Amino acid sequence: MISPSSNNSVRGGKPKSVQWHWNLPLLFSSSLLLLLLLTCVFLASRYRTSRIAAPLSQMAAEAHKAGDFEREVRWLSQLVAIEKNPKDALVRMAFAMIRNVTRIDKRESARVAILRAIAALDPAEDVSIITELRRELIQILLGMGTSWANEVERQIVLLDAPPGDPMPTLWLAKCLYAQARSGEWRMRDPNEFQQADEYWQWLGIHT
């Protein structure tokens, strides 16, 4: 793209200097060609993804209808892997895990799936789904043993349910009992949190 303006011929015994300059037409055409190539690759990738994603979503729906948990999760996992923004697939997979968490060995997978779904959601626009997922997460954590008691308390605070909500109140009591059993409970400053503004932190101290 850089061309010499003259050669190195010698006249009169003195070498003539060579000056270089940018070949602007060639530079422009090369840049345009590269841009077109990248655009074609991007469009081809999007087209391929859309063609694959639709059947995967449909197969996951059919597996869900048939009650085939393993197959539903397998299709949804593939869907998550190929989609650029797999929010919906992550949420579907989280609920699939929740529905089939009766086996103890499935709880960790369900916990991870729920946290991935919550992370993909918009806290301002997806409040109801996040709340539902977090409630399910707390119940799963409670079944995972006393070592998860501190995380249960943290999730109850993040849930931020209305003061006096009976289920989070029960969950908090269970997690504080689990903390006491595991030796993780500690004396806290009773004035650290205010009831009006930080109800669940306050209740954790005064329960």
Side-chain angles (χ1 to χ4, degrees), residues 37-109:
L37 179 61
L38 292 175
T39 301
C40 290
V41 170
F42 173 76
L43 292 176
S45 176
R46 287 288 300 272
Y47 176 71
R48 177 177 176 273
T49 298
S50 64
R51 287 195 63 186
I52 297 174
L56 287 175
S57 181
Q58 180 62 32
M59 287 187 290
E62 291 172 357
H64 169 69
K65 188 176 180 180
D68 190 336
F69 161 69
E70 299 292 344
R71 198 155 55 93
E72 181 185 6
V73 170
R74 183 167 67 250
W75 298 135
L76 288 173
S77 297
Q78 293 184 33
L79 189 59
V80 167
I82 66 169
E83 284 194 330
K84 183 178 181 181
N85 181 20
K87 180 176 76 171
D88 292 340
L90 284 170
V91 171
R92 289 171 63 186
M93 188 157 66
F95 280 115
M97 292 285 195
I98 290 166
R99 286 189 298 270
N100 295 274
V101 78
T102 51
R103 289 171 51 184
I104 293 176
D105 61 339
K106 297 293 184 183
R107 290 175 180 170
E108 173 62 15
S109 298

Side-chain angles (χ1 to χ4, degrees), residues 10-178:
V10 179
R11 296 179 181 177
K14 294 183 180 180
K16 191 174 182 180
S17 62
V18 177
Q19 294 182 345
W20 298 82
H21 65 87
W22 288 99
N23 189 329
L24 295 179
L26 180 59
L27 179 63
F28 175 78
S29 61
S30 299
S31 300
L32 183 59
L33 181 61
L34 178 60
L35 180 61
L36 289 173
L37 179 61
L38 292 175
T39 301
C40 290
V41 170
F42 173 76
L43 292 176
S45 176
R46 287 288 300 272
Y47 176 71
R48 177 177 176 273
T49 298
S50 64
R51 287 195 63 186
I52 297 174
L56 287 175
S57 181
Q58 180 62 32
M59 287 187 290
E62 291 172 357
H64 169 69
K65 188 176 180 180
D68 190 336
F69 161 69
E70 299 292 344
R71 198 155 55 93
E72 181 185 6
V73 170
R74 183 167 67 250
W75 298 135
L76 288 173
S77 297
Q78 293 184 33
L79 189 59
V80 167
I82 66 169
E83 284 194 330
K84 183 178 181 181
N85 181 20
K87 180 176 76 171
D88 292 340
L90 284 170
V91 171
R92 289 171 63 186
M93 188 157 66
F95 280 115
M97 292 285 195
I98 290 166
R99 286 189 298 270
N100 295 274
V101 78
T102 51
R103 289 171 51 184
I104 293 176
D105 61 339
K106 297 293 184 183
R107 290 175 180 170
E108 173 62 15
S109 298
R111 182 189 72 84
V112 173
I114 293 171
L115 288 175
R116 288 184 70 192
I118 290 175
L121 292 168
D122 188 325
E125 297 181 0
D126 303 312
V127 177
S128 61
I129 301 177
I130 292 174
T131 297
E132 185 177 358
L133 286 170
R134 203 178 297 280
R135 284 177 173 269
E136 296 289 351
L137 173 62
I138 291 169
Q139 296 180 78
I140 289 169
L141 291 171
L142 284 169
M144 292 177 67
T146 56
S147 61
W148 290 93
N150 288 338
E151 178 64 10
V152 171
E153 185 176 8
R154 190 178 78 88
Q155 291 296 332
I156 291 170
V157 171
L158 291 172
L159 179 63
D160 196 23
D165 188 319
M167 288 310 298
T169 301
L170 176 61
W171 297 334
L172 183 60
K174 287 182 176 181
C175 89
L176 292 175
Y177 176 68

